[in-house]
Amino acid sequence: LRQPTSARPTQAELDGADTSIGDWLMYNKGYRGGRYSTLTRVNTATAKNLRAVCMFQLGELGTFSTGPIVYDGMLYATTHLGTYAIDATTCERRWTHHHLAVGPEMNATNKGVALHAGRVIRGTQDGFLYARALTIAGGSNEIMRNLISERGLGLPREPRG
C-alpha cells in the first residue's frame, strides 16, 4: 500500500483550526467547537452581498447530517455510504469512494471525515474505517482498511475491486 505524499494537515494545523481563516478542518471548525469563522470581512453589513459560487450535486438521495471539511482548497463531504473530494475553486469532483455495507447498520447517517497526516478518515455504520490519501497523487485508489470490522466484529472481508 502506497503512503500519502503529504504529512499535512499536521497536528499543529489541527491544534490551530479554531483560528484558521483559510481552512475548516473539523466538523465544529476546531477542537473548541465554536462553529464560526473568524473572517472579519463577512459581517452583518456585508452578508447581504454573499452569493453561491459553487454548487455540487452528489447524486444521492437521503439524509445528510455531515459537516463538510475544507483543507488546502479541497472540500471533503460524506453521505451515508459515499465520501467525496471536491475542488473548492473549480467545483470539480476529484475523487469519490463508496462503501458497500456488509454488516448491520442502525441508521443512515454519517458525521463526516477527519483529516490527518495526508489522509481522509471516515467510519461506516457497519464498523469499517477508511483512511484514504487526500490527493490523487497520494495513491487515492488504494484504501487502507482497519481490521476492526474483520477481527473485532467478525465481519467478512470487503470484496477488493
Side-chain angles (χ1 to χ4, degrees):
L1 186 65
R2 290 187 297 173
Q3 296 301 312
T5 58
S6 171
R8 295 182 64 215
T10 64
Q11 189 59 50
E13 287 177 289
L14 295 171
D15 291 343
D18 286 296
T19 58
S20 173
I21 60 170
D23 298 310
W24 193 276
L25 290 171
M26 299 178 196
Y27 179 79
N28 290 323
K29 176 108 172 94
Y31 291 123
R32 287 187 229 144
R35 293 186 178 185
Y36 71 94
S37 172
T38 56
L39 293 174
T40 57
R41 293 187 328 177
V42 178
N43 55 49
T44 55
T46 61
K48 65 182 176 202
N49 300 324
L50 294 176
R51 61 183 176 82
V53 294
C54 173
M55 291 183 15
F56 189 90
Q57 294 292 325
L58 297 177
E60 295 186 36
L61 298 175
T63 61
F64 291 90
S65 57
T66 185
I69 302 295
V70 178
Y71 179 67
D72 200 22
M74 194 69 65
L75 183 140
Y76 301 94
T78 59
T79 61
H80 172 54
L81 299 173
T83 307
Y84 298 85
I86 302 161
D87 187 306
T89 303
T90 65
C91 208
E92 294 176 9
R93 180 183 359 214
R94 294 297 177 168
W95 56 257
T96 302
H97 173 258
H98 280 91
H99 171 69
L100 178 61
V102 296
E105 297 181 293
M106 298 309 292
N107 56 38
T109 63
N110 184 274
K111 298 299 183 191
V113 301
L115 304 180
H116 189 265
R119 298 227 183 256
V120 177
I121 304 157
R122 69 108 11 121
T124 66
Q125 288 279 322
D126 57 343
F128 288 83
L129 183 66
Y130 289 94
R132 187 179 175 109
L134 285 171
T135 64
I136 293 172
S140 66
N141 289 333
E142 299 181 47
I143 298 167
M144 185 175 70
R145 292 195 5 104
N146 190 311
L147 297 178
I148 292 172
S149 296
E150 295 168 17
R151 294 185 184 163
L153 299 176
L155 294 173
R157 292 186 83 141
E158 185 177 51
R160 308 279 192 247

